[in-house]
Amino acid sequence: GERLVGEDHRIFESLFLPVDAIPVLDSEAEIPGMLIIEQDLTDFSREKEKYETTLSELVRTLVLLLDSRDPYAKSHSDQVAHIAQAVAQEMRLEPVMVKTAALAGQLMNVGKVKAPEALLTQKNLSAEERENIRGAMQMSAQLLKNIAFPGPVVETLEQAQERVDGKGPKGLEEQDILPSARIIALVNAFVAMTNPRIYREALSTT
């Protein structure tokens, strides 16, 4: 719960334990009652909010940087994140996994920062060059592996190119692939196909 202590707004977590008999001072009588244990979570809550704000600003900065380098995929990450979050919510995943899907969508192309800018805007790519672009998601996972995300964001990026039949890079099958990774794989393909690229027009959704 929340309450005002002096002039400070504080956040408390309360635990209520029923007690069969409470000794009463100067009396032999014992009456049933409730033991209340409170923990002040204000500082923890503020630090968590500060961390989430900082993380959000970091993600936003990275996405803007990538969009400036790859104008033909501008807003791709945001679209994937938005749709992935909606899909995860529709699947009734736990809140942390919904957040994971959204963050993974936003950060999936961070690895492109390692690719030459000319390659990102080139019309005709060789098979090797296309493979290098596709490898951006794995590079994203490598670059982000030391960041403490509120959920398995890095693992989601590592698994997003797996296939349910086990023919992906790691050989994981459907039951071994995180739901957030399966969502990202599906949504990424949908967004890529329904948006124009330098080498083709957008495909119709009908």
Side-chain angles (χ1 to χ4, degrees):
E2 301 180 16
R3 65 173 180 266
L4 199 63
V5 178
E7 296 183 356
D8 192 15
H9 191 74
R10 311 293 295 181
I11 300 171
F12 292 89
E13 179 181 60
S14 300
L15 179 64
F16 298 89
L17 300 174
V19 178
D20 293 333
I22 298 178
V24 179
L25 188 64
D26 299 328
S27 172
E28 295 182 359
E30 292 184 337
I31 60 174
M34 187 76 68
L35 176 63
I36 303 174
I37 302 173
E38 287 193 331
Q39 183 178 9
D40 189 341
L41 299 178
T42 308
D43 293 339
F44 172 78
S45 180
R46 288 173 180 169
E47 284 300 315
K48 182 181 178 183
E49 184 177 344
K50 183 178 177 181
Y51 163 74
E52 289 178 348
T53 299
T54 301
L55 180 61
S56 178
E57 290 174 353
L58 171 63
V59 170
R60 185 81 239 134
T61 299
L62 287 172
V63 171
L64 289 174
L65 171 64
L66 293 168
D67 283 351
S68 69
R69 297 187 77 243
D70 189 0
Y72 293 95
K74 188 174 182 179
S75 79
H76 178 96
S77 298
D78 277 340
Q79 288 182 56
V80 172
H82 178 73
I83 298 173
Q85 179 173 323
V87 171
Q89 289 172 333
E90 187 66 24
M91 292 174 63
R92 301 186 184 279
L93 297 185
E94 295 179 7
V96 68
M97 294 305 291
V98 174
K99 183 69 173 176
T100 292
L103 280 172
Q106 285 184 293
L107 295 168
M108 58 180 290
N109 287 323
V110 166
K112 283 186 178 181
V113 75
K114 290 275 194 176
E117 192 167 349
L119 191 63
L120 300 176
T121 56
Q122 190 173 313
K123 266 192 176 182
N124 300 311
L125 297 174
S126 66
E128 183 179 353
E129 288 170 334
R130 285 185 183 277
E131 195 58 36
N132 286 337
I133 295 294
R134 291 193 189 99
M137 201 176 304
Q138 295 302 314
M139 180 57 68
S140 299
Q142 284 295 312
L143 292 173
L144 299 168
K145 65 181 180 181
N146 293 323
I147 297 179
F149 290 104
V153 173
V154 172
E155 292 84 349
T156 294
L157 294 173
E158 288 176 336
Q159 296 180 17
Q161 291 175 320
E162 295 301 303
R163 298 291 178 265
V164 294
D165 60 3
K167 294 182 179 179
K170 295 178 180 293
L172 300 179
E173 296 184 356
E174 182 176 7
Q175 67 273 15
D176 301 317
I177 304 171
L178 287 168
S180 50
R182 298 200 298 269
I183 290 171
I184 290 298
L186 177 64
V187 174
N188 180 43
F190 172 78
V191 172
M193 289 187 292
T194 55
N195 280 274
R197 292 293 181 262
I198 189 171
Y199 51 85
R200 62 157 173 78
E201 298 295 324
L203 302 180
S204 173
T205 57
T206 58

